[in-house]
Amino acid sequence: QVQLVESGGGSVQAGGSLRLSCAASMYTYSRYCMAWFRQAPGKEREGVAAITPGGGGTVYAASVKGRFTISRDNTKNTLYLQMNSLKPEDTAMYYCAADPPPCAVVLDRGPYEYWGQGTQVTVSS
């Protein structure tokens, strides 16, 4: 059974930083594409960033490029999202997601089979 558990969310003022983590339970974690999504109240869930199994390839949504960095530590089965220069519009529930092999590094929800419960990020102006 695959489990994804996010942590690191919280409240921060605009311009601040947060680092999200996602602990994954699967034995073959290093073979999964991983991603971060977010969903604000009343809005669709959107892809924020995704990363290849080995960590060498990443994609970002235009709204976060240059401010957010996705990374992973395959020795710890953990995914990260470093969020800098946060804006009020970044306020949302953040979810990590896993796409089993063979996988694609995309920001569409479709390929991702496993999801965490989410961690709330609130940015005040």
Side-chain angles (χ1 to χ4, degrees):
Q1 183 73 14
V2 173
Q3 287 190 321
L4 303 173
V5 180
E6 302 95 336
S7 61
S11 297
V12 64
Q13 289 191 326
S17 298
L18 284 173
R19 188 194 196 201
L20 306 183
S21 298
C22 172
S25 68
M26 54 280 212
Y27 179 74
T28 55
Y29 171 77
S30 64
R31 297 177 60 196
Y32 284 66
C33 292
M34 300 294 295
W36 288 98
F37 287 75
R38 67 185 182 186
Q39 188 167 16
K43 294 189 176 181
E44 294 287 321
R45 191 171 297 188
E46 63 173 353
V48 174
I51 190 167
T52 55
T58 56
V59 293
Y60 293 92
S63 59
V64 306
K65 199 168 186 178
R67 300 188 298 122
F68 291 10
T69 302
I70 188 171
S71 62
R72 63 192 296 165
D73 185 338
N74 286 347
T75 66
K76 297 181 178 179
N77 277 28
T78 303
L79 178 72
Y80 302 101
L81 185 68
Q82 177 66 45
M83 304 186 295
N84 298 329
S85 302
L86 282 160
K87 304 175 180 180
E89 51 263 44
D90 294 319
T91 295
M93 186 72 79
Y94 283 71
Y95 300 89
C96 70
D99 179 14
C103 62
V105 184
V106 296
L107 296 180
D108 296 325
R109 293 182 59 178
Y112 294 92
E113 294 188 15
Y114 305 103
W115 295 81
Q117 294 299 306
T119 186
Q120 178 68 37
V121 172
T122 303
V123 185
S124 58
S125 58

